[in-house]
Structures are given as C-alpha cells and as structure tokens.
Amino acid sequence: MGSNDDPRRNGLLAKLPELEWQRLAPQLEPVEMPLGKVLYEPGCTLSHIYFPSTAIVSLLYVMEDGASAEIAVVGLEGVVGIALFMGGETTPSRAVVQSAGQGYRLRAEILKDEFKRAGSMMHLLLRYTQALITQMGQTAVCNRHHSLDQQLCRWLLLSLDRLQGNELVMTQELIANMLGVRREGVTEAALKLQKAGLIHYARGHITIVDRDGLEKRTCECYDVVRKEYQRLLNAPLSR
C-alpha cells in the first residue's frame, strides 16, 4: 500500500462528519487493486463494500457467450458494492479493476449497522447511488445512439476525471470489452483521436493530449453524467 495513500482521497469518506469518520476509520481495510482484479462476480454474495482512492473500477455485464459491456465506472468519487445497502446482497454485474491503484474496504455487517443509524453515511451513499444510476442509464443511451468515436471520448473523459494524471494504462482489447465492440473498431476510433491530436496511444498507454478537444468531440452524455455527480455530491470529480 502506498505510504502516501489516504482513505479520505475517496470523496464519500472525505464528506463524513468527524464523529462518523472517527467511528468508521479503524474499520477500513487498505487493499491493493491491481489491473484486472475482480472485486466480485455475478451472483456472488458481497462480503465487503469498496471505496477506491486511486484505482478505477468498471462495472460490467457479462453475457452467456462471454461478451461484456461496461455499465458504469467508479473511482475516487464513489463506492463499489451498492447491492449491500440496497438490500439485494448480490448483483448480476462483475466489478473489475480498470486502472490499478489503491482503495479501502469495509465489511458488510459494519456497513449495514451504519445504515441502521440513518446518519450521514446512509444519505451520502443513497445520493451516490442516484448518480450511479444516471451514469448507467446514460451509458445505455450512448451505446445505442452515438458513434463509437463519441463513446470512446466519453469513456476516456469519465476515466480521466477519476485519475490523478493524464495517462491511462489500458489495452485496446480491454477497451473493446468495456465498450462491447470489436477491437478493430476501437483501433480505428483511437487512431482518429490520435490523428486529431487529442490523445497519444502506444503500447497500452493512452495519454490525453487535449482534454478540451475531447470534450468538444464527445456527445452530451458525458456532461449529463458529470453535472449530476456535481449536483448530488456537491463536488466535481477530480478536476
């Protein structure tokens, strides 16, 4: 675990009043989140809830034939494992680390006890869940109605908002799995963005060269999601 890592890099934990923070802080367990690590599989009972601090986690739906598509991305603004406090215990999605980093986890029973108190943690997590539902809905609309070029821009911007720098370590195959498209399509879209001077892509590293250009090129879906997170959580992501 990085010595300079702090649980309160996570926006939800940072918003807890001091009394609740002091009660929960000793229960938070630091966890490494390497690229590709699966935090939970479809149908598995969740034992912990995860608060990323420097990692990014993708929530994916996986079809019977193994094909997958991302429904949401979670980083330092949020939490992974909402089924625990929404009452479902399990979920049909898979949570996999998209960008390596650190995070913290809390045991299911501690979180449930916290919800019974009906304090700030409960209200924060419910507002976050509303923002997450917005992201899921907007992703579905975007995947149906907008070009792969626009989808890739949206995905890059959502990921960039949750990173400390301007570089993603991500293979085109993994991006294709996230977007639910063929790898060749991602290659073509990434080359377009590179030729336009918006990104630089080499050997699994994507560097954002022109963020403003990406924002101009993407569809409205990115801005809808960003504004809803700001409205509900009263803070920008990482920008």
Side-chain angles (χ1 to χ4, degrees):
M1 201 69 186
S3 58
N4 63 346
D5 199 53
D6 176 359
R8 289 180 126 174
R9 277 186 180 177
N10 179 277
L12 296 177
L13 295 177
K15 288 181 178 65
L16 286 176
E18 191 60 26
L19 194 62
E20 288 186 48
W21 167 248
Q22 292 296 337
R23 184 171 66 245
L24 284 173
Q27 309 296 333
L28 290 167
E29 178 187 350
V31 286
E32 290 287 346
M33 294 186 174
L35 179 65
K37 179 180 174 66
V38 176
L39 301 183
Y40 62 73
E41 290 280 10
C44 292
T45 301
L46 277 60
S47 60
H48 294 80
I49 193 167
Y50 293 84
F51 297 89
S53 54
T54 58
I56 302 178
V57 179
S58 286
L59 307 184
L60 301 165
Y61 266 99
V62 184
M63 308 301 286
E64 287 182 0
D65 64 0
S68 65
E70 184 178 82
I71 54 170
V73 59
V74 182
L76 77 175
E77 85 297 344
V79 68
V80 178
I82 65 168
L84 271 177
F85 57 82
M86 296 300 286
E89 303 290 341
T90 68
T91 175
S93 62
R94 169 187 290 159
V96 60
V97 177
Q98 164 195 311
S99 181
Q102 287 84 38
Y104 293 81
R105 69 181 190 177
L106 191 65
R107 292 199 314 276
E109 58 269 26
I110 296 172
L111 179 74
K112 289 174 184 176
D113 286 345
E114 200 61 35
F115 251 65
K116 289 173 186 173
R117 295 174 184 266
S120 295
M121 173 68 98
M122 183 189 80
H123 294 294
L124 271 172
L125 291 179
L126 290 178
R127 284 205 306 276
Y128 170 73
T129 301
Q130 184 176 339
L132 186 67
I133 290 169
T134 297
Q135 187 190 160
M136 290 175 175
Q138 205 69 39
T139 297
V141 170
C142 189
N143 290 349
R144 176 67 181 85
H145 291 288
H146 295 141
S147 68
L148 178 54
D149 192 22
Q150 291 173 313
Q151 291 175 46
L152 181 58
C153 288
R154 169 185 57 81
W155 185 84
L156 288 170
L157 287 165
L158 287 173
S159 298
L160 188 63
D161 282 345
R162 292 157 173 83
L163 288 174
Q164 294 172 296
N166 66 340
E167 184 178 271
L168 278 164
V169 180
M170 179 69 58
T171 65
Q172 288 181 349
E173 185 175 0
L174 198 45
I175 297 172
N177 288 340
M178 300 294 181
L179 296 178
V181 298
R182 296 177 62 201
R183 180 177 172 177
E184 292 79 8
V186 172
T187 302
E188 186 179 339
L191 283 174
K192 279 186 191 174
L193 298 183
Q194 182 158 283
K195 285 178 182 175
L198 304 179
I199 68 170
H200 176 68
Y201 180 83
R203 297 183 300 280
H205 290 255
I206 301 173
T207 305
I208 311 301
V209 178
D210 181 358
R211 183 194 169 94
D212 289 341
L214 276 182
E215 289 192 16
K216 288 173 185 171
R217 191 156 179 149
T218 194
C219 47
E220 75 251 35
C221 298
Y222 167 68
D223 209 40
V224 168
V225 172
R226 182 181 61 83
K227 285 178 177 175
E228 191 69 349
Y229 274 81
Q230 290 176 344
R231 181 182 77 84
L232 290 164
L233 301 172
N234 195 31
L237 292 172
S238 65
R239 314 315 294 175

